[in-house]
Amino acid sequence: MESDRSAESPSAVSAVMHRAKVRARASHVTVGQARHHDDGTVEIDCSCGMVLCNGPQWSLDEHIRLHRAEARYLAVSAVAPAGMPRLIDVGTDRRPR
């Protein structure tokens, strides 16, 4: 007779952390059309209200990817269990506005 291992071991992803990740993904999507300016900058809005843009050393795509990654990180970090070992500490001055 085989035992039901799912009842014994925790899920690979907790429901709380999964929901946080899903909320972050839904809250940070690009909206509208990209705006191209005469000076070479390109902007697009995020559904969170932040304007994403290219810069002298990064592309618009890189900014979008970083923004989404930061949103996921902050969302999962906020619900991570107390005492969970952490790799980095993000200061409030480095968080998306």
Side-chain angles (χ1 to χ4, degrees), residues 45-86:
D45 297 320
C46 179
S47 59
C48 74
M50 187 172 181
V51 176
L52 308 175
C53 63
N54 65 330
Q57 297 177 343
W58 68 90
S59 69
L60 176 60
D61 182 64
E62 289 170 325
H63 192 177
I64 292 168
R65 290 174 187 273
L66 175 64
H67 183 73
R68 289 175 178 164
E70 286 179 327
R72 283 190 309 273
Y73 170 77
L74 291 173
V76 172
S77 291
V79 299
M84 178 181 273
R86 305 301 291 273

Side-chain angles (χ1 to χ4, degrees), residues 8-56:
E8 298 172 16
S9 61
S11 171
V13 178
S14 73
V16 171
M17 291 180 91
H18 176 73
R19 284 191 299 271
K21 208 163 105 172
V22 168
R23 279 192 307 274
R25 184 173 39 244
S27 299
H28 295 275
V29 295
T30 55
V31 293
Q33 298 289 322
R35 297 177 299 279
H36 298 264
H37 300 284
D38 292 338
D39 65 357
T41 58
V42 182
E43 298 177 337
I44 194 163
D45 297 320
C46 179
S47 59
C48 74
M50 187 172 181
V51 176
L52 308 175
C53 63
N54 65 330

Side-chain angles (χ1 to χ4, degrees), residues 78-93:
V79 299
M84 178 181 273
R86 305 301 291 273
L87 182 62
I88 60 174
D89 181 36
V90 176
T92 56
D93 61 327

